[in-house]
């Protein structure tokens, strides 16, 4: 639990800091999910809304934001994720070697302590897309996070001493861990990375007090190992059957599912109403789909699971026999909204395949699926079958360069998370506008080495811009407003009760926009680009702050910190083709920046 002195202070501060709206929200029988004075989970809420009830910063004063302090991690690499704030301390996890910094907010910019997890340096060479980390979670005096070398650690939030550590894999096999964990009651949920290295994906539940592994659900293999049992009720017949995690891998090599990727490196959300845990799975390995005929379940799939034992309740595979690297790990945002005149319990996800899925989160039924970026690999999603209506001209083939596939492998949106405001009813979405040329290649599996089987070159999409930040109305299925950006919008988003939405750009601009209109109200530029996620909290003086990481990198920005040659468009799995000029607009870095309103 937080220090009682901090909790008392926060209680007093909240009385003056929160708006009447947020007080009413707290008294509601079914309050919309919102973060308040602290930020204790990666998304601010279990439901993944990235919405804050704080409203001191609003459209009338956001232009008066000034930087209070910054803190550099000493690592010039991609800084994804967001810090946590518990009481008067900010906690941030840096990229590899994944040190945990506790910053004293009463002495801005100074550290209380630094925890070094003693990470295995061998893991650095196994990360597909930069040495990023997407953040930590807090639970009863512990900061819990994943280390790239497949270790989950819990650290005492007051002393910085290790409480427990659990090893979940061996980097020698190609496996790493970059995702942010989620804590629900007495369990912490974690998953692995390494879909480009032929690993076998999983999600695991650990005892939050001891780190003991309680259950593990693999994404491929027989039902007993995927944790599919008698209570499994998928909505669509295409997802029904026995041991589909084995029988839908029909290549010449036996047991391809053992190298089938389908990792769980993205976001996990939880719904207190249904008691279900939601997560996605990544691309199937190898990228060359002709080597693995069949649907390749359970890659690119949304799972709804019971958190207590991991048993699957339903699943829906978005992109069967994925041929484009359309990982299904993006965030599932859980909201209640009217659809067709009736209030529905929704799961909304902006998928990498370019479609936004609005689903009934109790059953997995798709209520609507519309493209949110230029899409030509499929013309739509059949709501009767749940299957994409594919364009055969844009399905890659071995030995043939299929040109101008949209979206490219990073998708209409990669892991960079969207936000939802219950005030406006809008989703705020960072997106990519990138297409690609794709050629399938034969690949040989050798444990611990790249298992890709593709040659990819990316390029800017229609219109020439590479990213867009937009507001999406789930009831109309249309964009309300949009802001085009030169580079992919690879940052996360924060929505607030003040009516302001925050995001960042890869050329270093930190922006605040009006939640209703999209008007840019504030912007400032850092030396290094932004791929982190903004968050907000109440400072020791009772006033609202906003924080964001700078530090360009990740898959899209790897050319900058890794100093890749802009002359090689196939570098970084083809990303350099679309990002060759990015080093002209930004430089490597790695820091957290904290803003407050000027006096």
């Amino acid at each position: 639990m937080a220090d009682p002195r901090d909790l008392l202070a926060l209680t007093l501060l909240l009385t003056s800091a929160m708006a009447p709206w947020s007080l009413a929200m707290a008294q509601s029988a079914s309050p919309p999910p919102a973060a308040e004075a602290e930020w204790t989970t990666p998304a601010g809420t279990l439901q993944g809304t990235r919405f804050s009830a704080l409203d001191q910063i609003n459209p009338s004063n956001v232009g008066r934001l000034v930087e209070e302090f910054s803190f550099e991690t000493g690592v010039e690499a991609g800084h994804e994720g967001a810090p946590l704030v518990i009481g008067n301390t900010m906690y941030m996890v840096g990229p590899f070697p994944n040190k945990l910094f506790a910053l004293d907010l009463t002495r801005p910019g100074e550290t209380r302590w630094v925890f070094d997890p003693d990470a295995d340096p061998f893991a650095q060479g196994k990360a597909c897309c930069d040495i990023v980390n997407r953040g930590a979670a807090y639970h009863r005096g512990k900061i819990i996070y994943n280390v790239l070398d497949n270790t989950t650690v819990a650290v005492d939030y007051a002393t910085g001493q290790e409480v427990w550590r659990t090893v979940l894999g061996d980097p020698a096999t190609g496996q790493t861990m970059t995702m942010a964990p989620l804590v629900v009651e007495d369990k912490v949920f974690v998953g692995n990375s390494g879909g480009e290295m032929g690993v076998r994906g999983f999600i695991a539940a650990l005892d939050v007090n001891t780190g003991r592994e309680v259950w593990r659900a693999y994404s491929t293999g027989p039902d007993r190992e995927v944790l599919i049992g008698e209570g499994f009720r998928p909505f669509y017949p295409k997802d029904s059957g026995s041991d589909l995690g084995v029988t839908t891998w029909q290549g010449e090599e036996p047991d391809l599912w053992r190298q089938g990727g389908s990792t769980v490196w993205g976001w996990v959300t939880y719904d207190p109403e249904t008691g279900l845990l939601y997560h996605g799975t990544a691309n199937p390995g190898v990228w060359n789909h002709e080597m693995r005929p069949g649907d390749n379940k359970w890659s690119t799939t949304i799972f709804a699971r019971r958190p207590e034992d991991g048993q699957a309740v339903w699943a829906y595979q978005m992109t069967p026999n994925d041929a484009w690297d359309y990982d299904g790990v993006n965030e599932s945002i859980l909201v209640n909204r009217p659809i067709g005149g009736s209030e529905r319990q929704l799961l909304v996800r902006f998928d990498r395949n370019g479609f936004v899925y609005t689903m009934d989160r109790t059953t997995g039924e798709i209520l609507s699926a519309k493209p949110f970026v230029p899409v030509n690999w499929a013309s739509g999603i059949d709501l009767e079958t749940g299957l994409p209506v594919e364009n055969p001209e844009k399905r890659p083939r071995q030995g043939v360069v299929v040109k101008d596939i949209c979206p490219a492998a990073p998708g209409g949106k990669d892991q960079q998370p969207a936000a939802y405001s219950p005030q406006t009813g809008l989703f705020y979405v960072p997106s990519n506008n990138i297409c690609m040329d794709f050629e399938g290649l034969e690949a040989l599996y050798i444990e611990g080495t790249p298992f890709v089987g593709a040659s990819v070159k990316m390029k800017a999409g229609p219109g020439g811009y590479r990213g867009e930040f937009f507001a999406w109305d789930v009831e109309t299925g249309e964009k309300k407003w949009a802001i085009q950006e030169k580079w992919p919008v690879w940052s996360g988003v924060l929505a607030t009760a003040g009516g302001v939405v925050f995001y960042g750009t890869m050329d270093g601009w930190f922006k605040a926009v009006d939640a209703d209109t999209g008007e840019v109200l504030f912007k400032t530029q850092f030396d290094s680009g932004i791929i982190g996620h903004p968050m907000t909290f109440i400072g020791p003086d009772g006033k609202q702050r906003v924080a964001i990481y700078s530090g360009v990198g990740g898959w899209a920005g790897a050319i900058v910190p890794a100093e890749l040659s802009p002359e090689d468009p196939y570098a970084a799995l083809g990303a350099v083709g679309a990002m060759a000029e990015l080093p002209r607009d930004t430089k490597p870095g790695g820091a957290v920046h904290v803003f407050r309103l000027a006096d």
Side-chain angles (χ1 to χ4, degrees), residues 1-11 13 36-40 84-91 103-106 112 138 143 157 535-543 545:
M1 295 293 289
D3 187 309
R5 292 166 299 181
D6 290 341
L7 289 177
L8 175 60
L10 287 168
T11 301
L13 291 172
E36 298 183 351
E38 298 179 314
W39 194 271
T40 62
L84 304 179
V85 167
I86 315 298
N88 288 330
T89 305
M90 171 178 283
Y91 302 88
L103 307 183
D104 186 348
L105 295 174
T106 66
R112 292 185 190 272
Y138 171 78
I143 305 297
Y157 87 130
M535 52 81 75
T536 188
F537 61 96
I538 294 294
D541 59 357
K543 296 180 179 179
R545 305 291 198 280

Side-chain angles (χ1 to χ4, degrees), residues 93-136:
V93 182
F96 186 90
N98 301 134
K99 290 182 179 179
L100 173 63
F101 301 89
L103 307 183
D104 186 348
L105 295 174
T106 66
R107 299 180 298 158
E110 297 190 26
T111 57
R112 292 185 190 272
W113 47 258
V114 180
F115 172 76
D116 185 346
D118 192 25
D120 183 350
F122 185 75
Q124 294 179 85
K126 301 301 178 182
C128 87
C129 310
D130 202 358
I131 52 174
V132 300
N133 182 284
R134 300 190 181 88

Side-chain angles (χ1 to χ4, degrees), residues 97 101 167 178 213 245 258 265 296 317 338 340 364 379 400 470 488 491 531 544 581:
F101 301 89
V167 177
T178 58
E213 186 170 322
R258 295 185 185 278
W265 59 268
N296 309 139
Q317 187 180 42
S379 59
V400 177
F470 63 86
S491 86
I531 61 170
Q544 186 180 358
E581 297 175 357

Side-chain angles (χ1 to χ4, degrees), residues 22 31 57 69 78 138 159 187 219 263 288 292 323 326 334 338 345 360 401 411 467 471 491 495 565 571:
S22 55
I57 298 171
F69 74 91
Y138 171 78
T159 67
K187 294 181 181 63
S219 303
T263 51
N288 180 357
R292 45 174 172 75
Y326 291 154
L334 313 178
Q345 293 176 296
D360 183 321
V401 179
S491 86
S565 170

Side-chain angles (χ1 to χ4, degrees), residues 39-314:
W39 194 271
T40 62
T41 69
T45 66
L46 295 174
Q47 296 89 343
T49 56
R50 289 179 168 78
F51 175 74
S52 169
L54 303 182
D55 69 346
Q56 292 180 7
I57 298 171
N58 56 55
S60 70
N61 62 24
V62 68
R64 294 196 289 113
L65 283 180
V66 294
E67 186 166 345
E68 181 179 31
F69 74 91
S70 64
F71 176 84
E72 296 183 356
T73 64
V75 181
E76 293 189 340
H79 282 58
E80 294 184 347
L84 304 179
V85 167
I86 315 298
N88 288 330
T89 305
M90 171 178 283
Y91 302 88
M92 63 178 298
V93 182
F96 186 90
N98 301 134
K99 290 182 179 179
L100 173 63
F101 301 89
L103 307 183
D104 186 348
L105 295 174
T106 66
R107 299 180 298 158
E110 297 190 26
T111 57
R112 292 185 190 272
W113 47 258
V114 180
F115 172 76
D116 185 346
D118 192 25
D120 183 350
F122 185 75
Q124 294 179 85
K126 301 301 178 182
C128 87
C129 310
D130 202 358
I131 52 174
V132 300
N133 182 284
R134 300 190 181 88
Y138 171 78
H139 183 75
R140 296 184 179 178
K142 294 184 286 294
I143 305 297
I144 304 169
Y145 70 101
N146 294 316
V147 180
L148 192 67
D149 66 3
N150 306 298
T151 303
T152 303
V153 294
V155 180
D156 186 291
Y157 87 130
T159 67
Q161 299 299 306
E162 182 177 304
V163 178
W164 55 256
R165 69 167 51 212
T166 299
V167 177
L168 290 124
D170 183 352
T173 65
Q175 181 176 310
T176 52
M177 294 180 77
T178 58
M179 59 90 78
L182 185 75
V183 176
V184 177
E185 298 182 351
D186 61 349
K187 294 181 181 63
V188 54
F189 302 96
V190 300
N192 64 346
S193 306
E196 283 64 49
M197 304 291 281
V199 308
R200 186 183 178 200
F202 69 83
I203 182 172
L206 310 181
D207 184 302
V208 75
N209 295 310
T210 66
R212 176 180 63 87
E213 186 170 322
V214 179
W215 55 257
R216 178 181 297 213
Y218 285 98
S219 303
T220 63
D223 285 354
R224 68 178 183 280
E225 296 182 8
V226 183
L227 299 188
I228 288 177
E230 294 181 355
F232 184 58
R233 300 285 186 276
F235 189 85
Y236 297 97
K238 73 181 184 63
D239 296 318
S240 294
S242 298
D243 293 329
L244 297 181
V246 175
T247 61
T248 59
W249 296 80
Q250 301 163 355
E252 296 179 358
E253 298 294 326
D255 297 339
L256 279 171
W257 53 270
R258 295 185 185 278
Q259 294 91 45
S262 315
T263 51
V264 184
W265 59 268
W267 305 103
V268 182
T269 51
Y270 173 73
D271 179 18
E273 294 180 9
T274 62
L276 294 177
L277 191 76
Y278 300 90
H279 73 89
T281 64
N283 60 287
V286 53
W287 281 20
N288 180 357
H289 72 98
E290 293 183 84
M291 294 178 60
R292 45 174 172 75
D295 281 356
N296 309 139
K297 295 186 186 307
W298 297 92
S299 64
T300 66
T301 297
I302 304 171
F303 273 102
R305 295 186 182 276
R306 299 192 320 219
E308 59 270 27
D309 58 11
Q311 287 292 314
V313 174
W314 59 259

